[in-house]
Amino acid sequence: MKISAPLTTFVLLMSSVPLAFAQQEQAQISPSQEDVPSGPDAASSGGQPADGQEPASERAESTSSNDAPRPPAPVREVGADWPYYGGDADATRYSPLDQITTANVTALERAFEYRTGDMPSPSAEGKYAPETTPLKLGDDLLMCSAKNILISIDAATGEENWRFDPGVPDEAIPYSASCRGVSVYTDPGAAEDEVCATRVIEGTLDAKLIALDAATGTPCEGFGENGTVDLWQDIGERVPGWYAITAPPAVVRGVIVSGAQVKDGQAEDAPSGVVRGFDAITGELEWAWDLAAVEANRNGPAEGEVYTRGTPNMWTTAVIDEELGYVYLPMGNSSVDYYGSNRSEAENEFATSLVALDATTGDEVWHFQTVRHDVWDYDLGSQPTLIDYQGTPAIILPSKQGDIYILDRRTGEPMTPVEQLTDLPRGQIEPDFISPTQPASAWHTLRKEPLEPKDAWGFTPIDQLWCRIQFHRANYDGFFTPPSSERPWIQYPGYNGGSDWGSVAVDPVNGLLIANYNDVPNYNRLVPRAEADERGLVPIHQQRSGAEAGENAEGAGDPQTGSPYAIDVNAGWRSALTDMPCVRPPYGGIRAVDLETGETVWDRPLGTARRNGPFGIPSYLPFNIGTPNNGGSVVTAGGIVFIAAATDNLFRAIDIETGETIWQDVLPAGGQANPITYEVGGRQYVMIAATGHHFMETGVGDWMIAYALPE
Amino acid sequence: MTKTTAPSRRTPWPILAVAVFCIVLAVPLIAGGVWLIALGGSWYYALAGLGLLITGFLLFRGSETALWVYLATWLGTLIWAWWEVGADWWAQLPRMLAPTLILLFVLLSAQFLKSHDA
């Protein structure tokens, strides 16, 4: 999304008081701390262990296919290395490195730049969003490019050690060519210098798991077929681009756990959301968790069958727990996001939930649902973070609605207050399906007050008036306004969050949670089937090959075949007149939250207006307007939050105590990725991908840029 | 600014330009503003549009009253804008920037109005 800014500082007569927001209580939602009476719609409120399933007994039945129990693997330390996507195994995105401090950060300079060479071919133009975060292990940085080229470079010089191109075709690009990261696994039984003793594992856009020797890039022969496992197996008809992996797989106790992105909104009869565990050495299927056929498909579907179609999937990054042997899966919604009446009970139970699985058996231990009967595409997009919370092993779960939950990770029980929103509007489309109640975090939410007509924005009174008319033409009853078709409806927050895949960072020393977030509505409308047919909206498997696809924002004319409605999403609710957002800024921010109290320590708009303006013209204004952002932060013991993420293509260092930006650098393309920090030879480096993002309109690039203090 | 010479009965061109500008902006404001009222929304836009339209017509006729009508419109805008969003700088942008620019144009055209009336 591109946002805009004034072309002048001209507005005189206004005092220079900074942003202040009218705060008004929302009328439609009456929060209460009490539990709602359980009914069909309230059945799966947060925090209940899977009903009737005693984890222990389930586990006992199911271990038949596995031999010896898998012991916890040693966990790698973050510091000199950045061994996991989220920094440490707990995904705190915190580094104990403190060479770069708030005092010397202004001296940061580029130590080296590395270019992956992976740029879009003409047919992939406008589909690149690499979102790359490398790992740093020993002397090497390990990363994947937009189209899954696995690369190892020297962490001090940027010199390439090796690369491996799995040859992913352009047609496999789902919505974006993204590869957020890779994982590593060390075989405890192998000698250190053995090939593939330590292996890099990535999931590809064409749904393969690939394992390579971390030192040389040689495929691990013993893993699947020549180092490759095909995840299309038992998914069904192979439709390139429908089923793709964009997140680093989780590896727990020697089991690789992967879900996949299922391109949204195509059809109810879509690839399954099954999550599978594979042996990290052999690539053999250890278990499958098909939420709609748990027992039947535990070891894969019967001959000629496929995993249950159209079920909620996990496209983002899971977090591992070696000690408990669990993997925590942030689940998305069912394949058809905006209509739900014909979803199965199992889908309703698990959609948009955090699910804890025993990673060695695939047994569900508990799940916590953040949206009941989700018809808003409120997939859980953030990687959760493990912390020790008041002496209890806990997990932090941020959501796209902006709610931040802290759960006991052994049981899924909330440790912070969860409120129940009641008497929510149920709409005309499927009032029996829409839940009148929803959970929300009473501990902390990134969500702002509901929109009002006066929030309509523009550059002049005329385009503001246009947006204001659109506001009144739409259905809007605040948070969780249900979908409608006769009139558009406003969804706020939109599907970009709140918190998306950039996730949150936690500074355990200062007890702070750092969350960047979007603050952007979507303007949506359900399109009746006849109208959708007239417009020629067809799902991906019926499109002529080479037909246009992917350039649209997600949901802008998705067919949702099998449901009575297609969906039109105007992501960011942009004005048809100017392409500017129809609501006032800020569109994104970053805040620090006190982990003890859940209170905001500081909160600031994130992103300047320099690259934004009406009609797509950059304004070059340095004002911190607060832009949409994608990608997360790193927190260091030097007291710094490093983050790019915003659409201004700046990489910045923020003082964690005040929220003030104390250093910044202009990137050659958008930094929609999570940065990392590491150390080689006593020198601390900070690295960010400057690779752009088609949806965020931040250009395209292939730069990996490392910063350090002058030697 | 060029100096107007002819004390003819015709309205000088800078005033005509501002007049046309006001009317061109007034039409969508009134049309959209009436639509917004019909939808149950704010009355501001239609009223502001009306003020702008009257300003335009008065300017056409070379009447100094245009100045006062627009000043009233602008002051009304100011009061409304502060009532709605107060010191929210970004929210003031669509509300005050363009109307204030128009105010400047109208004020600048005042000298021509005066010379014309004289």
Side-chain angles (χ1 to χ4, degrees), chain A residues 5-6 8 10-11 13-15 17-21 454 457-462 464-465 468-469 472-473 585 623 625, chain B residues 25 28-29 32-33 35-36 39-42 45 74 78 80 82 84 87-90 92-98 104:
Chain A
T8 168
F10 187 80
V11 186
L13 305 161
M14 308 296 110
S15 79
V17 180
L19 302 169
F21 301 107
K454 69 179 186 187
W457 204 57
F459 185 59
T460 69
I462 294 173
Q464 183 193 32
L465 168 60
R468 212 154 168 157
I469 290 169
H472 284 281
R473 288 182 67 206
F623 304 122
I625 188 174
Chain B
L25 293 182
L29 273 178
W35 189 6
L36 188 65
L39 289 168
S42 167
Y45 300 87
W74 183 87
L78 182 69
W80 164 78
W82 274 83
E84 270 211 326
D88 184 338
W89 204 87
W90 291 110
Q92 287 292 1
L93 172 78
R95 290 172 170 83
M96 290 313 298
L97 177 61
L104 283 184

Side-chain angles (χ1 to χ4, degrees), chain A residues 202-226:
Chain A
E202 84 162 343
T204 67
L205 296 174
D206 54 355
K208 294 184 172 106
L209 278 182
I210 295 177
L212 304 179
D213 180 38
T216 61
T218 313
C220 300
E221 279 190 16
F223 184 84
E225 273 180 46
N226 287 323

Side-chain angles (χ1 to χ4, degrees), chain A residues 174-175 241-243 261-267 270 313 315 332-338 376-379 400 495 539-540 554-560 567:
Chain A
Y175 168 60
W242 206 350
Y243 190 73
Q261 174 178 354
V262 176
K263 191 173 181 185
D264 271 354
Q266 301 303 304
N313 63 320
W315 57 264
N333 200 1
S334 298
S335 175
V336 165
D337 281 304
Y338 298 92
W376 300 273
D377 196 5
Y378 279 147
D379 294 353
K400 287 197 171 185
Y495 63 41
I540 186 168
E554 199 146 39
D558 279 350
Q560 300 201 134
I567 179 68

Side-chain angles (χ1 to χ4, degrees), chain A residues 190-251:
Chain A
E192 209 178 304
D193 54 352
E194 215 172 292
V195 173
C196 288
T198 294
R199 52 191 66 201
V200 193
I201 298 148
E202 84 162 343
T204 67
L205 296 174
D206 54 355
K208 294 184 172 106
L209 278 182
I210 295 177
L212 304 179
D213 180 38
T216 61
T218 313
C220 300
E221 279 190 16
F223 184 84
E225 273 180 46
N226 287 323
T228 300
V229 171
D230 183 7
L231 292 197
W232 270 106
Q233 177 77 37
D234 300 322
I235 292 298
E237 187 200 352
R238 203 178 276 261
V239 180
W242 206 350
Y243 190 73
I245 304 173
T246 56
V251 188

Side-chain angles (χ1 to χ4, degrees), chain A residues 592-612:
Chain A
V593 178
D594 185 328
L595 274 172
E596 277 306 306
T597 62
E599 311 232 314
T600 302
V601 178
W602 50 259
D603 182 24
R604 293 188 179 238
L606 177 66
T608 70
R610 58 182 289 275
R611 284 190 67 254
N612 302 114

